[in-house]
Amino acid sequence: MRTIDDYRPIVGDAVVDTLFLLARQLQGRCIQNINSTATGGGVAEILNRMIPLMNQLGVNARWDVIKGGEKFFNTTKKFHNALHGVPTDFAPDEMEHFLEVNRQNAAEMDLCGDVILIHDPQPIALIEKRPAIGRSWVWRCHIDFSRPQDDVWRFLKDYIERYDSAIFSAPAFARDLSVPQVLIAPSIDPLSDKNRDLGAEEVTAVVERFGIDPEKPIVTQISRFDYLKDPVGVIHAWRQVKKYIDCQLVLAGGGATDDPEGAQVLKEVQEAADGDKDIFVLLLPGGSDIEINALQRASSVVLQKSLKEGFGLTVSEALWKERPVIAGAVGGIPLQITHKYSGILTRSIDGTAFWIKQLLNEPAFAARLAKNGKEHIRNNYLITRHIRDYLLTFLSIFHTEDVNFLH
Ligand code: UDP
């Protein structure tokens, strides 16, 4: 089992010692996380890693999951879509049912934390319990909130404003709210299967299993098949490069079988690939972490040609593997890449093609970008920084309470 000390060689002793120091100030306090699923999805993934690490630091962190039936989760999926700007209609009884399920959970759960940290909209209405039990309540939003549908936003806002504060992942997701907002960027775990070091043979074995030639340059984009990731634009850019440089293109991602739009995008990608033997369109099943890790490591250049993006974790993942990355200048990507220093930012197919050529032709320049990129991720987007931000947020809550008590 992985321990917090395993991170020392990666981030340095000072970073881990600081976490212990901060954690000590939280002794005797319970931090209770609540979300809606124990497995699957980014929130469960981060909690699965973070809770054991916090416990090792000496923080009494616990994690509870609300229960709900099919109707509840259909409604919350609709919330999710509506918050991402997909026009969605709600039947009046859906909101009622949503609240009813939250009330049932509130009645059955042991809401014992000194801080109750509610993740995402599904359990947001547990806050109704606050007048009865007190405690500090923080709402943690993991989703892209930049253009939510108005009615859902108003419904949720009424609940968010009953919390002490709200945490968002990027400045663009912050909203006009009466409660303080905290910015905590996401992170990657350098010791997970997705990101840990792999031996050269392991990387080659994966690449060859997909029929890719490990000796010929590989240009890769790992993404769900989604229009906003512009996979067809990637193919057009690659074709411009291919006229001059013999290289392969890998477009790998999942989520296309259970998502009607994903299936359509995949079809368009396959049409655009037009049977080219140097284009590998790989539909990855969930849990393909080692495969993604190996494909990123095997690449001469990694692309993330998004037209819209949340934070863009694939960029952190590739930079961490010291790969030169060319990515769209959208969402959280410019936080991760300083143009021509730690990667390349582009805004067009022609620009992407130009830079792929440059980086393939100038490996020393590409290596410099990659090295700088890796250090930037080490300093800012690893799980240790993420834990530090949470601990500081909890400390600030208790500090404010103590100051209020003194007055
Ligand atoms: N990912 C994955 N399988 C896939 C495609 C993507 O596990 O088939 C992972 C990818 O490695 C990254 C995350 O899903 O960790 C995608 O996060 P990102 O912020 O890049 O984009 P999102 O999909 O959230 O828009």
Side-chain angles (χ1 to χ4, degrees):
M1 155 136 153
R2 194 175 310 147
T3 74
I4 189 74
D5 287 323
D6 295 335
Y7 293 83
R8 288 182 184 274
I10 300 171
V11 294
D13 286 335
V15 168
V16 176
D17 290 343
T18 304
L19 295 182
F20 276 105
L21 201 71
L22 294 174
R24 207 177 310 144
Q25 312 302 314
L26 288 166
Q27 256 171 22
R29 317 275 201 173
C30 172
I31 311 296
Q32 183 173 23
N33 292 269
I34 301 177
N35 82 327
S36 63
T37 172
T39 52
V43 180
E45 188 168 319
I46 196 76
L47 286 175
N48 263 313
R49 301 196 179 289
M50 224 179 238
I51 301 289
L53 291 174
M54 285 205 183
N55 288 333
Q56 286 174 34
L57 287 164
V59 177
N60 179 10
R62 57 178 277 167
W63 173 15
D64 296 276
V65 178
I66 57 162
K67 295 195 201 89
E70 200 183 329
K71 182 170 177 184
F72 176 74
F73 287 112
N74 281 340
T75 304
T76 59
K77 179 75 212 267
K78 286 170 76 176
F79 276 6
H80 189 82
N81 288 338
L83 291 170
H84 282 89
V86 181
T88 310
D89 286 329
F90 290 89
D93 77 312
E94 285 181 303
M95 299 306 199
E96 262 322 301
H97 184 70
F98 172 80
L99 293 176
E100 192 45 46
V101 171
N102 266 268
R103 283 170 195 150
Q104 270 163 21
N105 277 284
E108 287 165 15
M109 286 176 105
D110 182 12
L111 295 169
C112 57
D114 296 290
V115 175
I116 300 180
L117 184 58
I118 302 287
H119 295 264
D120 282 344
Q122 297 91 336
I124 198 169
L126 294 179
I127 189 73
E128 287 185 344
K129 201 69 189 274
R130 180 180 191 157
I133 64 167
R135 325 257 163 194
S136 294
W137 291 71
V138 179
W139 187 61
R140 193 346 167 187
C141 177
H142 295 269
I143 54 185
D144 176 343
F145 240 45
S146 41
R147 45 189 183 121
Q149 185 171 307
D150 205 40
D151 52 350
V152 180
W153 166 242
R154 274 184 278 116
F155 177 78
L156 291 179
K157 185 177 182 207
D158 181 44
Y159 288 93
I160 299 169
E161 292 190 329
R162 299 185 209 179
Y163 284 76
D164 291 292
S165 54
I167 305 176
F168 293 92
S169 290
F173 308 157
R175 312 288 309 169
D176 184 16
L177 290 170
S178 62
V179 295
Q181 298 177 59
V182 178
L183 171 66
I184 300 186
S187 63
I188 60 166
D189 183 347
L191 296 177
S192 66
D193 279 346
K194 177 87 61 73
N195 298 305
R196 68 180 167 81
D197 279 343
L198 294 179
E201 315 76 54
E202 223 175 329
V203 171
T204 307
V206 170
V207 166
E208 286 180 338
R209 184 146 51 80
F210 287 120
I212 302 163
D213 179 355
E215 300 301 325
K216 192 151 97 175
I218 301 170
V219 177
T220 299
Q221 174 159 300
I222 308 276
S223 274
R224 293 177 294 105
F225 288 96
D226 183 319
Y227 289 114
L228 297 181
K229 311 285 184 182
D230 200 17
V232 172
V234 166
I235 293 180
H236 292 318
W238 176 82
R239 280 201 206 287
Q240 291 188 28
V241 178
K242 178 75 176 171
K243 282 189 221 152
Y244 305 96
I245 304 173
D246 189 18
C247 59
Q248 305 165 94
L249 176 65
V250 176
L251 283 162
T257 42
D258 55 351
D259 166 8
E261 194 175 79
Q264 176 59 26
V265 175
L266 177 62
K267 191 163 152 264
E268 289 174 26
V269 167
Q270 280 160 339
E271 277 164 17
D274 195 23
D276 192 318
K277 63 175 182 20
D278 278 323
I279 301 181
F280 298 83
V281 180
L282 309 178
L283 192 54
L284 300 176
S288 301
D289 289 4
I290 304 265
E291 286 76 8
I292 291 174
N293 188 341
L295 289 169
Q296 287 168 331
R297 285 182 191 280
S299 303
S300 305
V301 173
V302 172
L303 303 181
Q304 190 54 59
K305 205 200 152 308
S306 302
L307 304 171
K308 281 250 157 63
E309 193 51 83
F311 179 72
L313 278 172
T314 50
V315 172
S316 313
E317 291 162 7
L319 289 175
W320 177 245
K321 292 164 186 113
E322 217 173 318
R323 298 293 86 208
V325 177
I326 301 173
V330 292
I333 291 175
L335 296 173
Q336 303 182 65
I337 292 181
T338 301
H339 186 52
K340 295 202 268 188
Y341 175 75
S342 50
I344 297 295
L345 295 174
T346 55
R347 293 175 174 78
S348 66
I349 290 173
D350 289 349
T352 305
F354 171 83
W355 281 108
I356 299 173
K357 262 185 284 172
Q358 282 301 99
L359 297 190
L360 290 178
N361 281 332
E362 292 186 48
F365 175 56
R368 211 161 55 239
L369 297 180
K371 195 159 181 291
N372 293 338
K374 179 167 187 176
E375 285 318 300
H376 184 59
I377 300 303
R378 189 195 307 279
N379 291 329
N380 296 285
Y381 298 113
L382 296 186
I383 191 169
T384 37
R385 189 277 312 155
H386 203 165
I387 292 175
R388 186 200 63 195
D389 285 357
Y390 271 116
L391 297 183
L392 284 168
T393 305
F394 304 144
L395 275 175
S396 76
I397 291 169
F398 295 127
H399 178 73
T400 312
E401 280 175 7
D402 291 346
V403 170
N404 289 343
F405 178 74
L406 287 174
H407 289 82

